[in-house]
Amino acid sequence: MEFDEVVARRQSIRHYSSKPVDFSLITEITEAAIHAPTAGNISTTKLVIVSDKELRDKLAAAAGQEFIAAAPWIIIVCSKNDLVVKNYEERGLMYSRQQAGASIQNMLLKITDLGLASCWIGAFDDNAVKRILHVPDDIEVEAILPVAYSSKFHPQMKRRKPDLKLILFFEQYGQTVQRKPRQPEAK
């Protein structure tokens, strides 16, 4: 798929088929995560791959979202923040969260590109997930990404998108009209 098509087709899908997903595709998805930008070239994102049925059931229960267990693979996205906080102090935690988000988006786009389905899960019991997967206390659990084939055809949804006029400002926050269209000055 072309990039613009992948971006437009990406959607949250919660209905999964029992069709197996080859591990080589999981490798491609996780490879996409490492290409996300990092503050100071300090990678904070860590990934836990889960295929065990019992663990998938426990993770679904920890999130209160049973559909997660139907996916043959689950990617748990975590952040190890110590180095980025050491280098960037109070902004380090924000940078780490941004890096996790960028990694997640890269993986979601790759999942779409491969014809697979997923849903970015951010609502879960952090302590339960840590307990289930033996995640150390100093590691943050950021997201759960089930990975599967969709169980049904999902036509491109007409998602309600924000009006660009409501989110785009010029020169200062709140200024919705560019006074005089111009190109930036060359140096």
Side-chain angles (χ1 to χ4, degrees):
M1 269 186 255
E2 292 293 320
F3 180 74
D4 289 343
E5 182 182 359
V6 171
V7 170
R9 292 177 67 84
R10 195 228 45 89
Q11 58 185 309
S12 295
I13 297 174
R14 295 173 179 84
H15 301 282
Y16 306 131
S17 98
S18 59
K19 180 179 176 183
V21 174
D22 192 88
F23 183 70
S24 66
L25 299 179
I26 301 304
T27 302
E28 287 186 51
I29 294 163
T30 56
E31 178 79 20
I34 66 172
H35 295 289
T38 58
N41 204 27
I42 302 168
S43 178
T44 58
T45 304
K46 307 295 179 195
L47 306 173
V48 180
I49 309 297
V50 177
S51 63
D52 179 81
K53 175 67 171 134
E54 185 178 326
L55 290 176
R56 289 183 291 137
D57 289 341
K58 288 179 180 180
L59 290 168
Q65 301 182 64
E66 293 306 313
F67 72 90
I68 295 169
W73 297 96
I74 300 174
I75 301 172
I76 308 300
V77 181
C78 301
S79 292
K80 186 172 183 345
N81 305 319
D82 56 346
L83 282 177
V84 77
V85 168
K86 180 181 176 186
N87 281 281
Y88 295 103
E89 299 169 353
E90 70 275 357
R91 295 190 71 81
L93 286 177
M94 179 182 68
Y95 294 161
S96 184
R97 282 255 145 115
Q98 290 172 343
Q99 290 170 199
S103 293
I104 292 164
Q105 181 68 358
N106 278 7
M107 288 188 288
L108 289 171
L109 292 173
K110 188 62 178 181
I111 288 166
T112 301
D113 185 50
L114 293 171
L116 297 167
S118 188
C119 182
W120 181 335
I121 310 295
F124 50 84
D125 179 334
D126 296 59
N127 292 325
V129 172
K130 284 183 170 192
R131 206 170 33 256
I132 293 163
L133 300 177
H134 305 283
V135 176
D137 288 339
D138 65 328
I139 305 295
E140 298 297 323
V141 178
E142 304 287 0
I144 297 173
L145 300 179
V147 181
Y149 287 98
S150 177
S151 65
K152 54 186 172 181
F153 175 70
H154 291 275
Q156 184 56 37
M157 295 174 55
K158 291 285 185 187
R159 293 183 293 190
R160 197 174 119 190
K161 297 176 185 146
D163 184 338
L164 194 57
K165 294 177 201 169
L166 298 175
I167 66 167
L168 181 63
F169 306 120
F170 296 93
E171 310 303 340
Q172 65 185 20
Y173 190 91
Q175 186 170 312
T176 58
V177 177
Q178 188 174 16
R179 301 291 182 220
K180 180 180 174 187
R182 63 175 193 250
Q183 291 295 320
E185 297 173 14
K187 291 188 177 191

